[in-house]
Amino acid sequence: NHFHIFAGSGDAKAVRAPLHAEGVLPRVRFLGAMSDAASVMAVTDVYLPPLKTSDDSSLLEAMGAGRPTVVLQHPDDPARNSSAELLGIQELIASNEAEYAQIAQQVLRSEDERARCSNLVLSRFRSQFAPELIGPRYLQFLSRIQQAG
């Protein structure tokens, strides 16, 4: 009783055939590029960001909405690890694609696990990225730049 929602500017054609082969294509919706991820987060149980690229703004929106999130760490390319660093919850960070799928299945299949992971993600967001915390940090940073200049 669920749908798989793909939002973003990826190539939907590339994944249609494998989804059709697995028999899940009728339960998949491709939304395309979106400027407002918050509306999608309201109906999302689990946020699975792209494997190959990071979308840290959508990740933060998912975290702020308390959506469990699974990310792939890129040990070969530290520049692509920002999502893992932002999420900061080791049990939701996969070291390879097989582990990514395993963690995602575990979270998707269990309502209790989703609730537990949701609490972890929301707690992390509130303690590190809540607007009331970030705002003063930006103001301090800007003040230091202005004083240095």
Side-chain angles (χ1 to χ4, degrees):
N1 294 332
H2 65 277
F3 284 89
H4 304 273
I5 299 173
F6 288 80
S9 58
D11 181 14
K13 291 179 183 178
V15 296
R16 285 185 185 276
L19 293 171
H20 179 69
E22 291 295 323
V24 296
L25 188 58
R27 312 255 345 136
V28 172
R29 299 296 180 263
F30 295 96
L31 303 180
M34 300 184 68
S35 60
D36 177 27
S39 60
V40 176
M41 295 304 163
V43 296
T44 301
D45 290 327
V46 178
Y47 175 69
L48 301 173
L51 293 174
K52 305 293 183 194
T53 61
S54 64
D55 181 1
D56 294 340
S57 61
S58 293
L59 172 62
L60 285 172
E61 288 188 44
M63 291 175 69
R67 297 304 179 247
T69 302
V70 181
V71 299
L72 179 62
Q73 189 168 31
H74 299 278
D76 305 352
D77 188 358
R80 292 175 52 199
N81 280 331
S82 60
S83 293
E85 291 172 12
L86 286 175
L87 183 59
I89 301 168
Q90 203 57 44
E91 66 189 273
L92 296 174
I93 300 171
S95 59
N96 57 55
E97 290 184 19
E99 187 178 12
Y100 181 95
Q102 179 184 8
I103 296 168
Q105 285 178 8
Q106 183 178 1
V107 174
L108 283 166
R109 289 189 173 150
S110 169
E111 188 173 337
D112 291 339
E113 184 67 2
R114 278 194 308 280
R116 186 183 75 76
C117 291
S118 177
N119 288 333
L120 289 172
V121 168
L122 192 54
S123 176
R124 167 81 173 157
F125 179 83
R126 288 178 176 160
S127 72
Q128 298 296 313
F129 307 110
E132 61 270 14
L133 297 173
I134 296 294
R137 289 180 194 159
Y138 280 127
L139 291 175
Q140 289 172 357
F141 173 71
L142 292 173
S143 177
R144 284 195 310 263
I145 290 174
Q146 186 178 22
Q147 291 171 359

